[in-house]
Amino acid sequence: MSRLYGDPIEVWTREGEPIQFVWQDRLYAVRRVVDHWVVAREWWKISEDDPGERRFWRVEASPGRRLGTYELRFDTAGDGWLLVRAWER
């Protein structure tokens, strides 16, 4: 079962994909990208240069040995990341 959060997180990327993130003061290493998708809406744009996108990644990650699945979102308008959902084992 998953749980919704919407918590701001700090994310490190490589070639546009998340490789690690900090959530609730813990560093999570991304082990695998499970899925990636983009949702674009005209009303999300805040300027002509903004594509108005929300980019989602579903990843398997862990702060140690305990692996979980997490849904991360990058918002181009706010230039920030959120942890949207978690399936912790």
Side-chain angles (χ1 to χ4, degrees):
M1 184 160 77
S2 69
R3 183 169 176 194
L4 294 174
Y5 289 96
D7 293 345
I9 56 174
E10 187 173 354
V11 177
W12 288 263
T13 62
R14 182 179 300 131
E15 297 178 10
E17 289 192 351
I19 57 169
Q20 61 185 14
F21 60 93
V22 173
W23 177 50
Q24 298 179 344
D25 296 323
R26 297 177 80 184
L27 178 64
Y28 288 74
V30 174
R31 306 287 184 217
R32 177 171 81 99
V33 173
V34 177
D35 200 4
H36 173 250
W37 66 99
V38 177
V39 179
R41 300 287 186 264
E42 189 66 29
W43 63 83
W44 288 339
K45 289 179 145 191
I46 59 170
S47 72
E48 282 299 313
D49 296 332
D50 178 20
E53 294 177 348
R54 291 184 177 166
R55 301 173 187 161
F56 294 85
W57 283 265
R58 186 164 295 156
V59 300
E60 287 183 347
S62 69
R65 292 181 165 214
R66 191 172 170 199
L67 190 65
T69 303
Y70 303 90
E71 191 170 292
L72 314 179
R73 183 184 92 194
F74 179 76
D75 187 345
T76 59
D79 198 29
W81 289 85
L82 294 176
L83 186 131
V84 179
R85 183 183 304 258
W87 295 261
E88 293 185 290
R89 298 175 189 164

